[in-house]
Amino acid sequence: MEERGFLEVPGGRLYYEADGDGPPLVLVHAGVANLRQWDPHVPAWSAHYRVVRYDTRGFGQSETEHVEFTNRDDVEAVLDFIGTEKAHLVGHSRSGSIVTDFAVTHPDRVRSLTVVAGGLGGYKADVSDEAAATGEAMEKASEASYEAKDWRRLADLEADYWVDGPGQPAGRADPAVRASVYEWVYTTYAAEKDEGIPQRLDPPAATRLDQITFPLLVVIGALDEAHTNASMRHLASQVPGSQLEVLEGSGHMLTLEQPKRFTQLVLDFLAGVDAGR
């Protein structure tokens, strides 16, 4: 069963795609992507689950007005729209924070949580001075490109940092992965859509991890930047029974670098959850 369309939310609308039949599995994309990032995984997952993915506000085909909103409320709107009380949630990168924020505020609506190379609101990672300087330099260069509306330069910076990885040689990753990320970043910024005003969770997720009493899978790439990996290791360490998987040879975009392995990791994890293991 396939479905495509738009979901109206306060001050915006979200484009979504749904495939397959079975327990609901909701996917939220990275900040350097859109729902197309899940294309390599949906065929296998939708053979067992009702896979629902959507473009977050301002990305892909979704739109927003310049209004205050929360991404966690949008996750709830998606679950309400598909008529489910509970779902398996998967979030990558920026959306790792989104699904974690949702999970700690609505634990009764989460069957399982998979956080892939994400952030953790309220957690300050302890990294080396070199890693901190690299991250600050990237942020400064990105801000300058954004202010200048130099979208191609910004897309290059994002692709270099999030695909090859900080400190890694140019071209480390598959050129096709870099090309996809570059195109997603460029088209997002070049569209110059209205931007919403996302509201942070207060108190932040890092202080509410006791709410995660459902199965948790955390996946990181060994070559990813230091802040991300430190945050994810902390998340896994604070949730009893969580599963931490490290993909050697991959960076931040591990879902695309090792698609077959990632697809199977998630399938195995979900099968264990649904079997009560």
Side-chain angles (χ1 to χ4, degrees):
M1 183 168 59
E2 297 182 359
E3 185 179 341
R4 310 286 186 263
F6 287 90
L7 160 64
E8 299 296 326
V9 291
R13 65 175 190 163
L14 308 176
Y15 174 73
Y16 74 93
E17 297 186 0
D19 298 88
D21 195 14
L25 170 60
V26 176
L27 315 175
V28 194
H29 64 81
V32 291
N34 53 52
L35 63 71
R36 295 269 71 84
Q37 86 160 91
W38 303 113
D39 285 353
H41 318 290
V42 168
W45 293 345
S46 62
H48 307 276
Y49 297 92
R50 179 67 168 159
V51 179
V52 180
R53 48 184 169 154
Y54 67 99
D55 290 326
T56 58
R57 295 189 188 220
F59 291 80
Q61 298 184 58
S62 291
E63 307 283 347
T64 186
E65 299 170 11
H66 189 62
V67 295
E68 293 185 354
F69 76 99
T70 77
N71 282 294
R72 56 192 177 275
D73 284 349
D74 286 351
V75 173
E76 185 174 29
V78 170
L79 266 59
D80 290 343
F81 180 75
I82 63 176
T84 186
E85 185 61 31
K86 282 191 174 186
H88 297 290
L89 299 180
V90 179
H92 182 201
S93 189
R94 160 184 174 265
S95 292
S97 296
I98 292 173
V99 296
T100 303
D101 284 357
F102 177 81
V104 300
T105 52
H106 300 282
D108 57 321
R109 304 204 65 177
V110 182
R111 177 75 174 120
S112 75
L113 180 65
T114 298
V115 183
V116 185
L120 179 60
Y123 178 69
K124 183 174 176 58
D126 183 15
V127 301
S128 68
D129 291 343
E130 181 181 3
T134 299
E136 290 169 3
M138 168 60 182
E139 184 175 356
K140 184 176 181 179
S142 296
E143 289 177 353
S145 296
Y146 183 85
E147 292 298 323
K149 293 191 175 183
D150 188 347
W151 308 135
R152 294 201 177 277
R153 171 60 176 159
L154 183 52
D156 266 327
L157 289 168
E158 298 275 3
D160 287 345
Y161 193 83
W162 297 114
V163 179
D164 285 334
Q168 299 299 315
R172 177 201 64 78
D174 184 340
V177 174
R178 188 190 190 282
S180 292
V181 172
Y182 175 91
E183 184 62 22
W184 292 332
V185 173
Y186 174 73
T187 54
T188 294
Y189 285 112
E192 297 190 31
K193 295 182 179 182
D194 284 342
E195 296 183 16
I197 310 169
Q199 303 298 294
R200 293 184 178 182
L201 179 61
D202 185 23
T207 68
R208 304 163 74 166
L209 297 181
D210 60 327
Q211 296 301 306
I212 301 181
T213 57
F214 37 80
L216 169 66
L217 170 63
V218 178
V219 189
I220 60 177
L223 304 180
D224 201 355
E225 62 100 28
H227 293 84
T228 297
N229 280 355
S231 296
M232 292 296 90
R233 289 182 182 278
H234 177 77
L235 172 61
S237 73
Q238 296 301 300
V239 178
S242 63
Q243 178 181 341
L244 173 66
E245 296 287 344
V246 182
L247 272 60
E248 298 295 335
S250 282
H252 193 71
M253 301 307 293
L254 58 92
T255 63
L256 301 178
E257 285 200 69
Q258 297 189 34
K260 290 183 179 179
R261 184 178 177 194
F262 179 72
T263 296
Q264 195 60 49
L265 270 177
V266 173
L267 276 178
D268 291 345
F269 171 68
L270 296 180
V273 173
D274 290 335
R277 297 196 298 270

